[in-house]
Every structure is written in structure tokens, then in C-alpha cells.
């Protein structure tokens, strides 16, 4: 682990306390989980970021995860309480809360608190009776997956969250300014992720966070995942027979195009900052992304001994994903909604690498 400053030591002590206080559930008892983060549910108005993918999100729960018996983890910032009143949120999105209730009545709903819904731990007479946690541990053969929102690794959000909420509610809302968050700053995203990465590697655990809004799988950001996939496809192409070489070449070109487009859109990024360690890459950090993405929503699935990063999208908005031969898309019923697995890995393999390399 890198040399720690005094403020970093305080943050790590805070994470130690959070880890110790978090309840434990064995994956032997409950082995199917879907983890969503950062819904930012509002009052249904023009400033409500949840509106964009609300129907898609509901379909994923109603038509897929609920019937298949998944446990639902809402990992922080479910309600946007820095901008909206909780009762107005509940009233407008009553159908969504009915879905939550379906999981809740079967003992399959878990919610953690994020920086945008910190008040849930203080407010009385809430319109729902869910238990709100700060963190949760899933035990896997003696190892742990540590689920928490992620703002706990940010000094700013712990000390100034109340001021941020006041600014959003009384200045940003009337002016119809979209909420600013750490998700809009690559530098702040990286700092928070790096702190959680170092803490997780040192303690040989898997941490699953939200907060930064960008999906991470095995401590890799989209840029690094694309690079890795391109290299793997190049190896496949060198060993390919004539039958499928054109298909592999098309996939390589598509991934290159996606990588270049992302770099053009994010010119301010330092792409070296997508790797958190210069010595060994340790697959200890995962992020479920968010439900308010422009091209769909992402989540993490855990089933038996595997973990997956999943992308849900609406064909009407993101039809290009159906043309990607490198990923298989699963249509949900007769809808225009699709589920696509972006990455999948065995928890045995992940923890073997963590325990040997960290």
C-alpha cells in the first residue's frame, strides 16, 4: 500500500469501523444477488435524473430479477434527498416502490445509505419500512465481498454533505441546474476509487461500491477492459482459421472505434489513472455503475460462485449494441429491453489472485 498521510489514515480507520459493523450474509444461504447503485429518484419532474431509465429499471426487476429469485441490493443514493422530499419521491414512483416491496416481503431487499440519501438514517415516519444499512458483507468460503456506497472514502462528502444538499435544493433546483456530483470529475473519481482499491488490496477483500457512477470490474475501468479485449481478440485472430477471421477483425475494429470515441469525449482524462497500482494488478475493486446513464443502466450480478457486470439497454436508444457480435444480448419478453453480460468471472479465481498478489 502507498505511504499514507494523516487524512488517509483517518479514512482507512473509518472504513475499518464500517467493515467491522457491517452484517454478514453467507453466499451459501443466499447465492443470487443483483446490485444497483445511484438511482437518484426524484419527483418525476424535469430535474429528476431517474426518469430517463425508470421504465427499463422496472422491467429488469419485474421481468427478470424478481421471478428468478434474486436478492436486490440498492447500494446508496436510491432517493435523491438533496433535491427532493422523500414523500414526493414515494408518491410519484409508487410503482417502483411496489416492486421493492415484492423483494422486501420475501426478505430479499437490502439498502445501503449514500451521500445523497444520508437523511434516511435520521428521518422519522418514512413512507416505507425498509432497513437502511451503512454496509453489508457477503461471505464466500472464508473471504468477504464488502458492499458500501463509496462516499465514505471521500473526506469532502463526509464533512460537507449538508452544505452540498442545501445548495442543490435551494439554488440548483429553482434554476433547473442538473445535480453536480463526483461522477462528473474524473480526478475525483480516481482518488476515491484508488483509496478503496488500496484499502481492499491491503485487507484482501473485494469491495463493491457505487458513488462514482462508472462501472468497474476487477479494478478495471472501461478503457482498460477495452484494451484487454482488443489484445485478446488479436490473439484469437492469429490462431483463427479462415472461417471466423473476418468476424474477429470486425470485433477488433468495433472495439477500437469505441475506445477512440471514448477518448475523444473524455479529453481531460489521464488514462494512466485508470490503473491503481504500478506493480501488480489486483482484482479487488468493483463498481455497479449507475441507473442514470445516457445509454442504459449497469449493475453487478452474483450467482453461485460467479460475478458479472451487466448492461441493460433500450433498443430504441442504443440499437448499436445489438450489432456487437462480441457480446450476446438477451431480449426481455416482448419488450425492446435487452440484458447484456459485459464481463464474468469466478469468485474462486478472483480471491485466489487477491490472496496471492495482495
Amino acid at each position: 500500500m502507498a505511504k499514507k498521510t494523516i487524512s488517509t489514515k483517518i479514512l482507512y480507520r473509518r472504513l475499518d469501523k464500517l467493515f467491522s459493523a457491517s452484517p454478514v450474509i453467507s453466499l451459501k444461504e443466499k447465492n443470487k444477488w443483483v446490485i444497483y447503485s445511484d438511482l437518484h429518484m426524484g419527483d418525476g419532474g424535469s430535474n429528476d435524473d431517474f426518469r430517463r431509465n425508470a421504465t427499463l429499471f422496472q422491467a429488469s426487476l419485474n421481468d427478470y430479477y424478481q421471478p428468478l429469485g434474486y436478492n436486490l441490493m440498492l447500494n446508496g443514493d436510491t432517493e435523491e434527498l438533496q433535491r427532493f422530499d422523500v414523500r414526493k419521491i414515494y408518491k410519484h414512483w409508487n410503482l417502483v416502490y411496489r416492486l421493492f416491496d415484492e423483494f422486501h416481503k420475501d426478505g430479499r431487499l437490502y439498502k445501503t445509505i449514500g451521500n445523497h440519501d444520508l437523511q434516511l438514517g435520521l428521518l422519522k415516519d418514512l413512507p416505507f419500512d425498509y432497513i437502511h444499512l451503512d454496509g453489508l458483507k457477503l461471505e464466500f468460503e472464508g473471504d468477504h465481498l464488502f458492499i458500501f456506497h463509496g462516499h465514505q472514502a471521500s473526506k469532502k462528502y463526509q464533512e460537507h454533505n449538508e452544505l452540498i444538499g442545501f445548495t442543490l435544493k435551494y439554488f440548483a433546483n429553482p434554476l433547473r441546474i442538473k445535480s453536480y456530483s463526483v461522477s462528473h470529475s474524473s480526478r475525483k473519481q480516481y482518488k476515491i476509487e484508488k483509496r478503496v482499491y488500496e484499502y481492499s488490496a491491503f485487507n484482501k477483500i473485494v469491495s463493491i461500491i457505487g458513488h462514482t457512477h462508472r462501472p468497474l470490474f476487477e479494478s478495471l475501468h472501461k478503457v482498460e477492459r477495452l484494451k484487454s479485449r482488443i489484445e485478446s481478440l488479436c490473439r484469437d485472430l492469429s490462431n483463427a482459421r479462415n472461417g471466423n477471421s473476418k468476424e474477429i477483425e470486425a470485433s477488433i475494429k468495433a472495439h477500437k472505434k469505441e475506445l477512440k470515441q471514448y477518448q475523444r469525449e473524455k479529453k481531460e482524462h489521464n488514462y494512466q489513472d485508470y490503473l491503481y497500482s504500478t506493480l501488480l494488478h489486483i482484482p479487488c475493486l468493483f463498481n455497479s455503475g449507475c441507473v442514470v446513464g445516457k445509454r442504459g443502466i449497469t449493475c453487478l450480478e452474483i450467482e453461485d460462485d460467479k460475478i458479472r457486470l451487466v448492461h441493460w439497454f433500450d433498443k430504441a436508444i442504443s440499437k448499436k449494441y445489438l450489432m456487437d457480435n462480441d457480446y450476446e444480448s438477451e431480449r426481455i419478453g416482448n419488450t425492446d429491453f435487452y440484458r447484456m453480460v459485459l464481463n464474468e468471472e469466478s469468485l474462486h479465481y478472483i480471491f485466489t489472485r487477491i490472496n496471492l498478489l495482495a
Side-chain angles (χ1 to χ4, degrees):
M1 185 184 291
K3 187 176 181 180
K4 295 185 285 189
T5 64
I6 293 176
S7 61
T8 304
K9 288 180 180 178
I10 293 173
L11 284 170
Y12 289 157
R13 284 202 294 268
R14 181 185 299 151
L15 292 178
D16 278 335
K17 290 181 180 179
L18 179 61
F19 183 84
S20 298
S22 297
V24 184
I25 295 176
S26 172
L27 282 177
K28 287 184 178 180
E29 299 172 7
K30 295 189 174 185
N31 65 348
K32 296 176 73 171
W33 293 79
V34 56
I35 303 169
Y36 277 114
S37 177
D38 296 273
L39 280 64
H40 292 278
M41 296 168 67
D43 62 0
S46 59
N47 291 326
D48 185 350
D49 295 333
F50 180 64
R51 285 198 320 171
R52 178 190 290 123
N53 296 319
T55 305
L56 175 61
F57 175 73
Q58 291 175 76
S60 77
L61 296 187
N62 190 60
D63 301 332
Y64 193 83
Y65 294 119
Q66 166 65 6
L68 291 178
Y70 276 77
N71 295 280
L72 172 60
M73 163 57 78
L74 300 172
N75 192 20
D77 287 0
T78 302
E79 290 85 10
E80 179 50 80
L81 298 185
Q82 290 190 338
R83 298 172 72 96
F84 307 102
D85 179 79
V86 66
R87 288 167 184 79
K88 290 183 179 180
I89 297 171
Y90 182 81
K91 181 178 180 180
H92 184 82
W93 296 113
N94 188 256
L95 291 178
V96 178
Y97 284 100
R98 288 186 188 179
L99 285 172
F100 294 167
D101 289 341
E102 289 296 310
F103 287 89
H104 181 54
K105 73 179 183 181
D106 295 331
R108 293 189 287 123
L109 176 68
Y110 297 83
K111 285 186 76 182
T112 60
I113 293 176
N115 54 296
H116 283 248
D117 54 15
L118 276 176
Q119 299 96 313
L120 289 175
L122 302 173
L123 293 174
K124 297 181 179 179
D125 299 322
L126 289 170
F128 39 76
D129 63 349
Y130 314 139
I131 295 174
H132 293 92
L133 306 169
D134 290 309
L136 180 70
K137 290 177 291 193
L138 299 180
E139 189 272 331
F140 177 75
E141 299 185 359
D143 292 306
H144 289 96
L145 297 94
F146 181 27
I147 305 172
F148 61 105
H149 183 62
H151 65 287
Q152 295 91 336
S154 168
K155 182 179 179 181
K156 169 189 171 185
Y157 279 94
Q158 285 289 355
E159 294 184 352
H160 306 299
N161 195 69
E162 187 174 340
L163 176 61
I164 294 169
F166 179 86
T167 303
L168 287 173
K169 182 173 288 188
Y170 295 106
F171 290 93
N173 268 7
L175 296 174
R176 298 197 174 187
I177 299 172
K178 289 288 185 180
S179 62
Y180 176 81
S181 72
V182 69
S183 65
H184 298 123
S185 169
S186 60
R187 180 177 59 84
K188 293 176 182 177
Q189 288 172 325
Y190 172 72
K191 282 187 175 182
I192 289 172
E193 292 164 358
K194 183 175 174 63
R195 290 185 192 119
V196 179
Y197 173 87
E198 291 178 347
Y199 176 83
S200 307
F202 183 78
N203 289 282
K204 297 188 177 184
I205 60 174
V206 164
S207 287
I208 297 176
I209 63 171
H211 188 53
T212 66
H213 287 208
R214 59 180 182 182
L216 298 171
F217 193 85
E218 294 188 310
S219 309
L220 293 179
H221 180 268
K222 180 178 181 179
V223 169
E224 295 303 325
R225 294 202 312 272
L226 284 172
K227 287 181 180 179
S228 176
R229 186 56 188 157
I230 289 170
E231 290 197 9
S232 177
L233 287 168
C234 287
R235 185 180 296 276
D236 291 343
L237 182 61
S238 68
N239 298 320
R241 298 183 179 181
N242 294 332
N244 64 339
S245 59
K246 290 184 178 180
E247 183 177 311
I248 296 174
E249 286 182 17
S251 291
I252 292 172
K253 290 179 180 178
H255 282 75
K256 282 177 60 181
K257 182 179 179 181
E258 187 175 1
L259 182 59
K260 289 179 179 178
Q261 180 180 349
Y262 192 89
Q263 289 177 327
R264 283 196 300 269
E265 293 175 354
K266 310 288 184 181
K267 291 181 180 179
E268 82 283 3
H269 283 212
N270 177 1
Y271 289 96
Q272 295 302 314
D273 283 353
Y274 286 141
L275 295 175
Y276 308 109
S277 173
T278 56
L279 183 60
L280 290 170
H281 166 72
I282 301 171
C284 58
L285 178 60
F286 290 73
N287 191 316
S288 52
C290 67
V291 177
V292 294
K294 293 181 180 179
R295 298 178 181 88
I297 61 182
T298 55
C299 63
L300 289 167
E301 294 177 2
I302 297 172
E303 184 175 5
D304 296 324
D305 68 340
K306 289 184 172 60
I307 185 169
R308 293 185 284 264
L309 176 63
V310 174
H311 175 56
W312 287 84
F313 64 93
D314 184 340
K315 183 180 76 172
I317 299 173
S318 305
K319 192 174 183 178
K320 69 169 188 174
Y321 292 118
L322 295 176
M323 304 174 187
D324 191 338
N325 295 322
D326 204 41
Y327 300 102
E328 291 186 7
S329 300
E330 177 184 1
R331 187 179 183 183
I332 305 305
N334 294 321
T335 71
D336 285 336
F337 302 144
Y338 289 78
R339 171 183 170 272
M340 176 187 289
V341 176
L342 300 179
N343 296 89
E344 180 179 86
E345 191 53 85
S346 161
L347 289 174
H348 287 285
Y349 183 49
I350 288 170
F351 278 112
T352 296
R353 287 149 65 202
I354 291 174
N355 287 317
L356 286 174
L357 301 177

